[in-house]
Short mmCIF file of all heavy atoms in Angstrom, two decimals:
data_model
loop_
_atom_site.label_atom_id
_atom_site.label_comp_id
_atom_site.label_asym_id
_atom_site.label_seq_id
_atom_site.Cartn_x
_atom_site.Cartn_y
_atom_site.Cartn_z
N ARG A 1 59.04 -23.99 27.64
CA ARG A 1 60.31 -23.55 28.21
C ARG A 1 61.47 -23.95 27.31
O ARG A 1 62.39 -23.18 27.08
CB ARG A 1 60.51 -24.16 29.61
CG ARG A 1 59.77 -23.44 30.72
CD ARG A 1 60.11 -24.03 32.07
NE ARG A 1 59.54 -23.26 33.16
CZ ARG A 1 60.09 -22.19 33.69
NH1 ARG A 1 61.24 -21.74 33.22
NH2 ARG A 1 59.51 -21.55 34.68
N ARG A 2 61.43 -25.18 26.81
CA ARG A 2 62.48 -25.65 25.90
C ARG A 2 62.53 -24.77 24.64
O ARG A 2 63.60 -24.34 24.20
CB ARG A 2 62.23 -27.11 25.50
CG ARG A 2 62.45 -28.10 26.62
CD ARG A 2 61.90 -29.48 26.27
NE ARG A 2 62.66 -30.15 25.22
CZ ARG A 2 63.68 -30.97 25.44
NH1 ARG A 2 64.08 -31.23 26.66
NH2 ARG A 2 64.30 -31.56 24.43
N ALA A 3 61.35 -24.51 24.08
CA ALA A 3 61.27 -23.70 22.86
C ALA A 3 61.80 -22.29 23.10
O ALA A 3 62.50 -21.71 22.26
CB ALA A 3 59.84 -23.66 22.36
N ALA A 4 61.49 -21.72 24.27
CA ALA A 4 61.92 -20.37 24.60
C ALA A 4 63.45 -20.28 24.69
O ALA A 4 64.06 -19.34 24.17
CB ALA A 4 61.28 -19.93 25.92
N ILE A 5 64.05 -21.28 25.33
CA ILE A 5 65.50 -21.26 25.50
C ILE A 5 66.20 -21.49 24.16
O ILE A 5 67.22 -20.86 23.85
CB ILE A 5 65.94 -22.31 26.55
CG1 ILE A 5 65.46 -21.86 27.94
CG2 ILE A 5 67.45 -22.49 26.56
CD1 ILE A 5 65.65 -22.87 29.03
N VAL A 6 65.66 -22.38 23.32
CA VAL A 6 66.24 -22.61 21.99
C VAL A 6 66.17 -21.32 21.16
O VAL A 6 67.14 -20.94 20.49
CB VAL A 6 65.52 -23.77 21.27
CG1 VAL A 6 65.90 -23.81 19.79
CG2 VAL A 6 65.87 -25.09 21.94
N ASP A 7 65.03 -20.63 21.18
CA ASP A 7 64.89 -19.37 20.45
C ASP A 7 65.88 -18.33 20.95
O ASP A 7 66.47 -17.57 20.17
CB ASP A 7 63.46 -18.83 20.59
CG ASP A 7 62.52 -19.37 19.52
OD1 ASP A 7 62.95 -20.30 18.79
OD2 ASP A 7 61.37 -18.92 19.43
N TYR A 8 66.07 -18.29 22.26
CA TYR A 8 67.02 -17.32 22.84
C TYR A 8 68.44 -17.64 22.38
O TYR A 8 69.21 -16.74 22.05
CB TYR A 8 66.92 -17.36 24.36
CG TYR A 8 67.77 -16.29 25.03
CD1 TYR A 8 67.27 -15.00 25.20
CD2 TYR A 8 69.05 -16.58 25.49
CE1 TYR A 8 68.04 -14.01 25.80
CE2 TYR A 8 69.83 -15.60 26.10
CZ TYR A 8 69.32 -14.32 26.25
OH TYR A 8 70.09 -13.34 26.85
N PHE A 9 68.79 -18.92 22.36
CA PHE A 9 70.11 -19.33 21.88
C PHE A 9 70.29 -18.95 20.41
O PHE A 9 71.33 -18.45 20.00
CB PHE A 9 70.28 -20.85 22.08
CG PHE A 9 71.59 -21.40 21.62
CD1 PHE A 9 72.78 -20.69 21.76
CD2 PHE A 9 71.66 -22.67 21.04
CE1 PHE A 9 74.00 -21.21 21.34
CE2 PHE A 9 72.87 -23.21 20.63
CZ PHE A 9 74.04 -22.48 20.77
N LYS A 10 69.25 -19.14 19.63
CA LYS A 10 69.33 -18.85 18.19
C LYS A 10 69.48 -17.34 17.92
O LYS A 10 70.27 -16.93 17.07
CB LYS A 10 68.08 -19.38 17.49
CG LYS A 10 68.09 -19.18 15.98
CD LYS A 10 66.85 -19.79 15.33
CE LYS A 10 66.90 -19.64 13.81
NZ LYS A 10 65.71 -20.26 13.17
N ASN A 11 68.75 -16.54 18.68
CA ASN A 11 68.66 -15.12 18.35
C ASN A 11 69.49 -14.19 19.23
O ASN A 11 69.78 -13.06 18.81
CB ASN A 11 67.19 -14.67 18.41
CG ASN A 11 66.31 -15.45 17.45
OD1 ASN A 11 66.66 -15.62 16.29
ND2 ASN A 11 65.16 -15.93 17.93
N GLU A 12 69.86 -14.66 20.44
CA GLU A 12 70.52 -13.74 21.38
C GLU A 12 71.89 -14.23 21.85
O GLU A 12 72.87 -13.50 21.80
CB GLU A 12 69.62 -13.52 22.60
CG GLU A 12 68.22 -13.01 22.29
CD GLU A 12 68.21 -11.56 21.84
OE1 GLU A 12 69.19 -10.85 22.13
OE2 GLU A 12 67.24 -11.16 21.19
N ALA A 13 71.96 -15.47 22.33
CA ALA A 13 73.17 -15.96 23.00
C ALA A 13 74.18 -16.52 22.00
O ALA A 13 73.84 -16.93 20.89
CB ALA A 13 72.80 -17.02 24.03
N ASP A 14 75.45 -16.55 22.42
CA ASP A 14 76.52 -17.18 21.63
C ASP A 14 76.76 -18.61 22.11
O ASP A 14 77.22 -19.45 21.33
CB ASP A 14 77.83 -16.40 21.78
CG ASP A 14 77.75 -15.02 21.14
OD1 ASP A 14 76.85 -14.80 20.30
OD2 ASP A 14 78.57 -14.15 21.50
N ILE A 15 76.48 -18.87 23.40
CA ILE A 15 76.84 -20.15 24.00
C ILE A 15 75.64 -20.73 24.73
O ILE A 15 74.97 -20.03 25.50
CB ILE A 15 78.02 -19.99 24.99
CG1 ILE A 15 79.27 -19.51 24.27
CG2 ILE A 15 78.30 -21.30 25.73
CD1 ILE A 15 80.40 -19.10 25.21
N MET A 16 75.37 -22.02 24.50
CA MET A 16 74.43 -22.76 25.34
C MET A 16 75.22 -23.81 26.11
O MET A 16 75.91 -24.64 25.51
CB MET A 16 73.34 -23.45 24.51
CG MET A 16 72.40 -24.30 25.38
SD MET A 16 71.21 -25.30 24.43
CE MET A 16 69.96 -24.07 24.06
N ILE A 17 75.14 -23.76 27.44
CA ILE A 17 75.76 -24.80 28.28
C ILE A 17 74.63 -25.73 28.70
O ILE A 17 73.68 -25.32 29.37
CB ILE A 17 76.44 -24.21 29.52
CG1 ILE A 17 77.43 -23.11 29.13
CG2 ILE A 17 77.18 -25.30 30.29
CD1 ILE A 17 78.04 -22.38 30.32
N ALA A 18 74.73 -26.98 28.27
CA ALA A 18 73.60 -27.90 28.43
C ALA A 18 74.00 -29.16 29.18
O ALA A 18 75.14 -29.61 29.09
CB ALA A 18 73.05 -28.28 27.05
N THR A 19 73.04 -29.72 29.89
CA THR A 19 73.21 -31.05 30.47
C THR A 19 72.64 -32.07 29.47
O THR A 19 72.21 -31.71 28.38
CB THR A 19 72.48 -31.18 31.81
OG1 THR A 19 71.07 -31.01 31.57
CG2 THR A 19 72.96 -30.13 32.81
N GLU A 20 72.61 -33.32 29.88
CA GLU A 20 72.13 -34.38 28.98
C GLU A 20 70.67 -34.19 28.58
O GLU A 20 70.20 -34.79 27.62
CB GLU A 20 72.31 -35.74 29.67
CG GLU A 20 72.55 -36.89 28.72
CD GLU A 20 73.89 -36.79 28.00
OE1 GLU A 20 74.86 -36.30 28.61
OE2 GLU A 20 73.95 -37.20 26.83
N ALA A 21 69.96 -33.31 29.30
CA ALA A 21 68.56 -33.03 28.96
C ALA A 21 68.43 -32.45 27.56
O ALA A 21 67.35 -32.53 26.95
CB ALA A 21 67.97 -32.05 29.98
N ALA A 22 69.50 -31.88 27.02
CA ALA A 22 69.46 -31.27 25.68
C ALA A 22 69.92 -32.23 24.59
O ALA A 22 69.97 -31.86 23.42
CB ALA A 22 70.32 -30.01 25.65
N ALA A 23 70.27 -33.45 24.95
CA ALA A 23 70.86 -34.39 23.98
C ALA A 23 69.81 -35.01 23.06
O ALA A 23 70.17 -35.67 22.09
CB ALA A 23 71.64 -35.48 24.70
N GLU A 24 68.54 -34.83 23.38
CA GLU A 24 67.46 -35.40 22.57
C GLU A 24 66.40 -34.35 22.29
O GLU A 24 66.13 -33.50 23.12
CB GLU A 24 66.79 -36.58 23.30
CG GLU A 24 67.66 -37.80 23.44
CD GLU A 24 66.94 -38.93 24.15
OE1 GLU A 24 65.90 -38.68 24.78
OE2 GLU A 24 67.42 -40.05 24.09
N GLY A 25 65.82 -34.44 21.10
CA GLY A 25 64.61 -33.67 20.81
C GLY A 25 64.80 -32.20 20.48
O GLY A 25 63.81 -31.50 20.26
N LEU A 26 66.04 -31.71 20.44
CA LEU A 26 66.27 -30.30 20.10
C LEU A 26 66.79 -30.18 18.67
O LEU A 26 67.65 -30.95 18.26
CB LEU A 26 67.28 -29.65 21.05
CG LEU A 26 66.87 -29.47 22.52
CD1 LEU A 26 67.90 -28.59 23.21
CD2 LEU A 26 65.49 -28.88 22.66
N ASN A 27 66.30 -29.18 17.94
CA ASN A 27 66.79 -28.89 16.59
C ASN A 27 67.66 -27.64 16.66
O ASN A 27 67.15 -26.52 16.77
CB ASN A 27 65.62 -28.67 15.63
CG ASN A 27 64.73 -29.90 15.52
OD1 ASN A 27 65.22 -31.02 15.52
ND2 ASN A 27 63.43 -29.67 15.45
N LEU A 28 68.97 -27.84 16.61
CA LEU A 28 69.92 -26.72 16.77
C LEU A 28 70.83 -26.61 15.54
O LEU A 28 72.02 -26.36 15.66
CB LEU A 28 70.76 -26.92 18.04
CG LEU A 28 69.99 -27.12 19.35
CD1 LEU A 28 70.95 -27.39 20.49
CD2 LEU A 28 69.12 -25.91 19.67
#
């Protein structure tokens, strides 16, 4: 699920609104 949302942000969306759950472990 995390990988899917990151890919969507990279390829489709302009904005990711994130909680603290995104503060670790993501390569953006």
Side-chain angles (χ1 to χ4, degrees):
R1 279 185 173 276
R2 289 167 70 92
I5 291 172
V6 167
D7 272 9
Y8 186 84
F9 180 36
K10 183 177 182 179
N11 300 313
E12 304 288 339
D14 293 341
I15 297 170
M16 177 187 279
I17 307 174
T19 63
E20 210 67 34
E24 291 180 345
L26 293 190
N27 299 322
L28 305 176

